[in-house]
Amino acid sequence: MPPDHTILTLQDSLEALMLLSEGALISSAGDEWSAKELLDWFQTTHPTLLEMPVYLVPPEPTRAGAICQVDANGEVLSAVPLYRIERRQPTGYPL
């Protein structure tokens, strides 16, 4: 794990993304969610998974971010992140 990343829970990561930007979309296996939608789903269907240790790489204007599962020592468990995070511009126009 890079030294500038702090181990968080999945819940903490999703809550941080909710504060970061409404334009952040989280994707995995072809599905997309807002951070709030994904957090609500986990709270309803798999609340124990919200305690999973992860680190969050926030998206930047020129690159996608990620949520990666880590072990207790902060070592990444897979080369493929759990979730990819992208900032997207709204598709509609303001009235």
Side-chain angles (χ1 to χ4, degrees):
M1 176 175 72
D4 58 338
H5 289 87
T6 302
I7 297 174
L8 303 170
T9 64
L10 179 57
Q11 181 168 348
D12 291 338
S13 292
L14 293 172
E15 289 173 351
L17 283 171
M18 287 169 46
L19 297 173
L20 176 69
S21 169
E22 289 182 22
L25 285 179
I26 302 168
S27 63
S28 179
D31 292 321
E32 293 182 333
W33 311 268
S34 70
K36 181 173 180 6
E37 289 169 334
L38 192 55
L39 179 59
D40 289 346
W41 183 80
F42 272 110
Q43 287 173 331
T44 302
T45 61
H46 300 289
T48 57
L49 291 178
L50 288 169
E51 295 304 314
M52 176 183 355
V54 300
Y55 76 75
L56 171 65
V57 180
E60 294 183 2
T62 59
R63 73 168 172 82
I67 297 175
C68 302
Q69 186 177 7
V70 297
D71 64 17
N73 296 319
E75 296 296 321
V76 177
L77 295 177
S78 173
V80 178
L82 288 174
Y83 299 101
R84 181 180 166 93
I85 307 161
E86 293 183 36
R87 287 191 179 188
R88 298 222 184 127
Q89 296 298 320
T91 57
Y93 294 97
L95 298 175

